[in-house]
Amino acid sequence: MANIVPQEMAGKLMAEGFSRSGPVAQVLSDPVTDTPMVVTLDDLLPYELDPRLTRNPLYDDIKASIRERGLDAPPPITRRPGAGHFIIRNGGNTRLAILRELWSETKEEQFFRIYCLFRPWPKRGEIIALTGHLAENELHGGLTFIERALGVEKARELYELESGKSLSQSELARRLSADGYPVPQSHISRMQDTVRYLLPTIPNVLYNGLGRHQVERLAVLRKAAELTWEKYACGKALATDFETLFHDVLAPFDGQPGSFSGGRVQDELIGQMSELLGIDYNVLELDVDSTEHRQRAVNSPPLLPVETATIVNADKTDGVSTLLPDSTRDNGAAAETSGPASNDTTVQPSPVQTLEPGTSASEGDSEVRLQGHIVSPADNTERLQAIQQMVAEHNGEPLPTFTDNVLQAIPVQAGGLFPISDVWYIEPGLDSPDRLRIHIAQFAQEIAEEADLADYIDAVKAGIGFTCTQPHHGVSPPAFGRMVLALLRALSIHYAAEPDQSDLRLDDSLGALLLGTDIRDAEALPRLSDNGLVKLFRLVRLARRLLDLGANPDETNH
């Protein structure tokens, strides 16, 4: 090989390489999978269709947290195909606004350059983004009713654009639920009435946070008054129509959002109807009230309203996090607080209650019936309920709730170490012999506690989980206590590991113990309390299941 002088080698190294035949990329394309990246505030814009139109009520708390701790939960970002800026994917517009404020105030780099998770723009991007923001806002601080209504209305427009046809309310509810934002059809009806009839007239009141119950009351009043108007206006030449009348009556109430009163609206509306129609005020009021009651009966809302419903898996890629309550999240989520659970286990003698202002009759009836099923309140926290729900879904079994089933199954609520919300249902985590025995023994001790004889119940790891001990020598419990021990002994004796030498026997007082006697009988045996009776039912149910597992050791519900 010929020797190459240094000048020739340098010339070859400096020679122009192969020319590029294809186009030169000006910018890199977006990742096709979830990818962490660092973006600046200049690169990031808020989501334009964010349903939140008013200031987040927890804005100041979130800002203080981010100022002190930094951004613990950066919002997920995405980008429309061909767009120049990233946008918030679902939830996070509040955090973005706070970061801009903090950057303007402090000029600290941590508020300008943030670490985010980029997620590609999905096929149904606009709909997924909107429903994602609705769900996230619902979890993180909540939305006003009008914001929720406008968000659902925008979602309807996107769904109709996607399908090329108009959607019924039930179909809209189905599609929203499929995309992670469940809204009952009855709520959608009220939302559409609110956007159509109320928003043009009282926007300040609505944006100030008028609640769902008051909005529904107005919607029902408007419909009832319209039907009454049509009934009495037939054949009369009137100076105005109902639409104009309703607007003129309602508009003055928009000036003072904080003092809005549905009762005053109704009084003014019926008063002006009486003048225009020439019908006595009391006649119209009775007619409107009667029609309102029929409307509520037809359109009674579900027992679990959307404000308190847990939105499960609002973001399909983050199913676990959405199951947890807000208190477990960082400053990216506005924590909801609840007051301490009541420890009062007194059984209410009557389920009759007074309805709160703005609560419809049908909702009040449901609440009264709900309270009528509570023997003693269970001190379950929201966090515990959320964890139980998550475990149940992980096991593939729905977790029935007391509120959901109280009017359709056989649940009853009783407090204690192991609160009872359904006498019959056995959670998968409880469905093992050891766990069942622990619960059975605890219920037996709590039943015996009513007679101050809890010490006479011994928990064991055999039989059905407990045995009854003989009263101490020379100690004779009262008749009520002896009957309670005799009842518990009768349940456990045939399954005890050791032979029982007790002389406790059931006698004719069993009926009095369970049912009670004539209250005029001064010497009557006290009956077992409702709380104790519920625990007795639960004890029997768990013991039957324990024996089933003993007879079929291979059977499992896990």
Side-chain angles (χ1 to χ4, degrees):
M1 184 176 87
N3 293 331
I4 301 177
V5 298
Q7 292 79 2
E8 291 176 335
M9 183 176 291
K12 290 182 178 293
L13 292 174
M14 298 294 293
E16 184 178 355
F18 295 104
S19 61
R20 181 183 298 273
S21 59
V24 178
Q26 300 298 321
V27 293
L28 295 177
S29 60
D30 290 333
V32 295
T33 61
D34 291 2
T35 305
M37 60 173 59
V38 176
V39 297
T40 68
L41 295 182
D42 293 339
D43 301 324
L44 188 56
L45 294 177
Y47 177 60
E48 308 91 326
L49 301 180
D50 184 17
R52 186 184 295 283
L53 303 175
T54 57
R55 180 185 173 93
N56 190 322
L58 296 169
Y59 188 96
D60 293 335
D61 293 336
I62 299 173
K63 181 177 180 179
S65 177
I66 294 177
R67 184 194 298 272
E68 296 298 325
R69 295 164 44 85
L71 190 63
D72 288 341
I77 62 174
T78 188
R79 180 156 53 186
R80 294 184 179 92
H85 290 81
F86 297 101
I87 60 172
I88 302 297
R89 185 178 187 272
N90 56 307
N93 278 7
T94 295
R95 280 168 281 172
L96 179 58
I98 290 172
L99 287 171
R100 294 190 186 280
E101 279 190 14
L102 291 174
W103 164 246
S104 176
E105 295 169 4
T106 67
K107 297 301 179 182
E108 293 183 17
E109 189 72 8
Q110 64 169 325
F111 301 132
F112 178 73
R113 197 175 305 274
I114 57 177
Y115 177 89
C116 292
L117 177 64
F118 173 85
R119 289 178 173 173
W121 184 255
K123 182 179 179 180
R124 302 171 61 243
E126 296 295 347
I127 293 175
I128 298 302
L130 177 58
T131 54
H133 276 270
L134 280 166
E136 286 295 316
N137 277 296
E138 200 69 59
L139 288 171
H140 305 161
L143 296 170
T144 63
F145 186 85
I146 187 58
E147 288 173 333
R148 192 179 300 113
L150 290 172
V152 168
E153 183 66 14
K154 184 61 181 179
R156 180 189 62 78
E157 295 176 8
L158 293 177
Y159 283 127
E160 291 183 348
L161 184 64
E162 179 186 51
S163 63
K165 61 179 182 180
S166 60
L167 299 181
S168 64
Q169 293 176 358
S170 58
E171 177 63 14
L172 176 57
R174 187 192 67 78
R175 296 196 180 210
L176 286 169
S177 180
D179 285 329
Y181 186 66
V183 181
Q185 185 271 329
S186 60
H187 284 17
I188 291 177
S189 175
R190 293 287 180 251
M191 289 174 175
Q192 292 182 349
D193 285 348
T194 301
V195 173
R196 178 179 177 182
Y197 299 113
L198 304 183
L199 182 58
T201 307
I202 51 171
N204 293 326
V205 168
L206 291 171
Y207 286 125
N208 197 53
L210 191 67
R212 178 175 64 85
H213 294 308
Q214 290 177 294
V215 170
E216 289 183 343
R217 182 181 179 186
L218 275 179
V220 172
L221 170 63
R222 190 203 65 81
K223 185 62 176 177
E226 183 180 27
L227 293 174
T228 300
W229 174 274
E230 293 175 351
K231 173 181 176 181
Y232 292 103
C234 183
K236 294 183 179 180
L238 301 173
T240 185
D241 58 10
F242 181 80
E243 290 285 344
T244 304
L245 171 64
F246 185 77
H247 174 84
D248 292 344
V249 167
L250 196 57
F253 290 91
D254 195 43
Q256 299 176 330
S259 60
F260 183 83
S261 169
R264 290 172 54 203
V265 172
Q266 176 171 333
D267 181 66
E268 182 67 22
L269 179 61
I270 295 178
Q272 293 200 26
M273 288 174 59
S274 176
E275 292 181 8
L276 291 169
L277 295 172
I279 305 295
D280 182 74
Y281 178 98
N282 293 325
V283 173
L284 292 179
E285 182 182 31
L286 182 62
D287 204 313
V288 168
D289 285 344
S290 176
T291 306
E292 279 188 86
H293 291 155
R294 290 196 299 271
Q295 288 291 316
R296 290 193 180 106
V298 172
N299 300 305
S300 59
L303 192 59
L304 187 64
V306 71
E307 283 86 344
T308 59
T310 301
I311 301 177
V312 178
N313 202 16
D315 184 348
K316 298 292 192 298
T317 62
D318 191 19
V320 174
S321 67
T322 55
L323 286 171
L324 297 178
D326 292 342
S327 58
T328 66
R329 294 174 175 262
D330 48 42
N331 55 37
E336 292 184 1
T337 58
S338 59
S342 171
N343 292 321
D344 182 12
T345 58
T346 304
V347 179
Q348 300 299 325
S350 173
V352 177
Q353 298 181 353
T354 302
L355 300 184
E356 295 182 359
T359 302
S360 67
S362 60
E363 290 176 315
D365 292 341
S366 297
E367 178 64 20
V368 168
R369 296 180 65 187
L370 173 67
Q371 294 300 322
H373 283 72
I374 297 178
V375 173
S376 62
D379 298 335
N380 281 356
T381 64
E382 292 182 1
R383 176 178 175 81
L384 175 59
Q385 293 172 354
I387 293 174
Q388 290 174 338
Q389 179 73 29
M390 183 171 63
V391 172
E393 292 196 357
H394 177 74
N395 290 323
E397 292 193 24
L399 179 67
T401 64
F402 177 72
T403 306
D404 289 339
N405 292 343
V406 67
L407 302 180
Q408 60 187 355
I410 54 169
V412 65
Q413 190 176 81
L417 181 61
F418 302 122
I420 301 170
S421 60
D422 191 316
V423 172
W424 194 255
Y425 178 76
I426 298 176
E427 300 84 352
L430 174 60
D431 199 20
S432 66
D434 291 341
R435 294 288 298 164
L436 289 170
R437 287 191 179 97
I438 292 173
H439 281 237
I440 291 170
Q442 179 62 33
F443 289 137
Q445 290 174 347
E446 291 179 6
I447 294 170
E449 180 63 31
E450 291 196 15
D452 295 325
L453 298 175
D455 293 339
Y456 289 82
I457 304 298
D458 290 336
V460 296
K461 297 182 179 180
I464 64 169
F466 73 93
T467 59
C468 298
T469 61
Q470 179 75 6
H472 304 305
H473 183 69
V475 177
S476 179
F480 174 72
R482 291 184 60 82
M483 279 305 302
V484 170
L485 288 181
L487 174 61
L488 294 173
R489 173 190 172 278
L491 294 174
S492 65
I493 181 61
H494 298 292
Y495 313 103
E498 300 292 335
D500 186 271
Q501 304 298 326
S502 173
D503 61 355
L504 294 172
R505 295 289 185 273
L506 289 174
D507 57 30
D508 295 340
S509 299
L510 177 62
L513 177 69
L514 298 179
L515 305 179
T517 57
D518 193 330
I519 60 176
R520 292 170 296 181
D521 186 355
E523 298 180 359
L525 184 72
R527 73 175 183 181
L528 197 63
S529 71
D530 292 343
N531 203 21
L533 187 63
V534 171
K535 293 173 181 177
L536 177 64
F537 291 157
R538 183 63 170 171
L539 185 157
V540 171
R541 165 60 177 151
L542 297 184
R544 289 163 63 96
R545 177 58 183 166
L546 175 62
L547 297 175
D548 289 343
L549 291 178
N552 303 283
D554 294 333
E555 182 182 353
T556 178
N557 277 351
H558 292 290

